Amino acid sequence: MSVKTPQTMGQQFERRSWAEPWKIKMVEPIQIIDRAQRQQALQKAGYNTFLLRSEDVYIDLLTDSGTSAMSDRQWAGIMTGDEAYAGSRNYYHLEETIQSFYGYRYVIPTHQGRGAEHLISQAIIQPGMFVPGNMYFTTTRLHQELAGGTFVDVIVDEAHDPQNQNPFKGDIDLDKLSALIDRVGADKIAYVSLAGTVNMAGGQPVSMANARALRELCDKHDIRVYLDATRMVENCLFIQEREEGYSDKPIAEILLEFCSYTDGAWMSAKKDNLVNIGGWLALNHEDVFQLARNMVVVYEGLHTYGGMAGRDMEALAIGIKESVQDEHVRSRVGQVRYLGNLLTEWGIPIVEPVGGHAIFLDAKRFYPHIPQDEFPSQTLAAELYLDAGVRGMERGVVSAGRDPETNEHRYPALELTRLTIPRRVYTQAHMDVVAESVKAVHDKREATKGLKMTFEPTYLRFFQANFERL
Ligand code: F0G
């Protein structure tokens, strides 16, 4: 393929670009404050990008959670909210939408993903049980631990290597899982906690073959499999692109098949499902459903709203339908790849292959002179904000927290800074600005010093910890 450049202009070229399947109807102004103001804002925030004010941020890549742009259809749905305390029409619309797109029998709405994680963890995990999964996620593992469980990472080894090119780095290593079952006994396994894609590994997908084989293994031992479906639609695109037999199947069909290998799912609807707030738990077994449905009224709200307004449930039901459209998923992941390609062309170390929702800068290779105790990923997130007002976040030793038994830092193999792309929000030009800022920070990497932690909260410390420059 030849590309139109000043040198080839006038000659034949075959460049064919893709574009987003939407146009912009409403805009939200953003502005950049100057470097001295950014320095001040960062210091005030204790070098923690979670503690910055949004108004002080230019391009906000903190998270793809709740930051999507809703469609005109979703906003229209907001106006049809039925705010009845019980039995809202929007709940039934949501219930049937989840049933038809994800294929599960029972649905419980929650205020967001961690509300659903809390319910399923409390409903199933008994103290002393183990919860094997494909890499931890912060809130998921915490709820499993608070219910008395011990999370065991059984993801394939390749997931811990940011340069390994395995197309399905989210897969479960079935030998590791079998070894755990042999060691502790199947009755001590609460369930398998399967996430598609795997956030902490860089948005890496799970293959359909792996889900199928996992189901078979778990059936042999009578163990249930629950899916963190937060970014499962993006996972389905990777299956369509990379796995034999799926290139002609629509995302919606792939999603249904994948979910059919699991017994239920929890969902942070703030991601794939294109809403600003919301979540759900969906289950196939009536016993777990009854327990969770009873608990939801204690912790979230009545079982027909679970902490969401009627209008939120309507926007969510519409968002689910939009989220599984092939063109949408392709352009969403395509934008992430566009940024990834710019960075790799410039020799900037990132997790490869590029995952679904974010670019993960490899802070260990970016700052080889900063030891993990001095928080290289946290440092990189701070430097990026200083350079051009781009907000990313730490996914390394700070996010990993302390081991509940030894109280030592957990030192994850992956020490990453995440640039998370909100859905349908930023343009290609924003991606260019981000890439150039990363390059500027990379160019002066050798002179950059690490951080020390000056305040450490007990739970999920990355959200609220404070740091100082060394
Ligand atoms: N599971 C995964 C894989 C997630 O990424 C998140 C949230 C949750 C569960 C919890 O859902 O936030 O709705 O309570 N991830 C956000 C992030 C916070 O930035 O990655 P929640």
Side-chain angles (χ1 to χ4, degrees), residues 50 62-65 111-115 117 137-140 195 197 199 228 230-231 266-271 278 357 393 395 418 420 463:
F50 277 102
L62 183 72
T63 175
D64 62 332
S65 184
H111 77 285
Q112 60 182 79
R114 68 199 72 179
E117 289 172 343
F137 182 70
T138 51
T139 57
T140 317
T197 59
N199 191 351
D228 182 336
T230 298
R231 297 184 184 83
W266 65 89
M267 181 71 180
S268 171
K270 304 170 72 171
K271 283 83 163 178
H357 66 300
M393 74 141 99
R395 291 274 89 146
R418 189 179 74 172
T420 339
F463 284 131

Side-chain angles (χ1 to χ4, degrees), residues 365-379:
R365 278 186 293 151
F366 204 105
Y367 291 137
H369 59 288
I370 302 182
Q372 234 172 336
D373 287 285
E374 294 173 12
F375 313 112
S377 318
Q378 191 78 34
T379 305

Side-chain angles (χ1 to χ4, degrees), residues 24 29 42 98 105 114 153 158 230 251 262-263 275 334 427:
I24 296 165
L42 190 64
I98 294 168
R105 287 173 71 188
R114 68 199 72 179
D153 188 2
E158 291 92 319
T230 298
I251 298 286
T262 67
D263 297 295
V275 285
T427 66

Side-chain angles (χ1 to χ4, degrees), residues 15 45 186 215 452:
R15 177 171 156 161
R215 176 80 267 169
K452 82 169 184 229

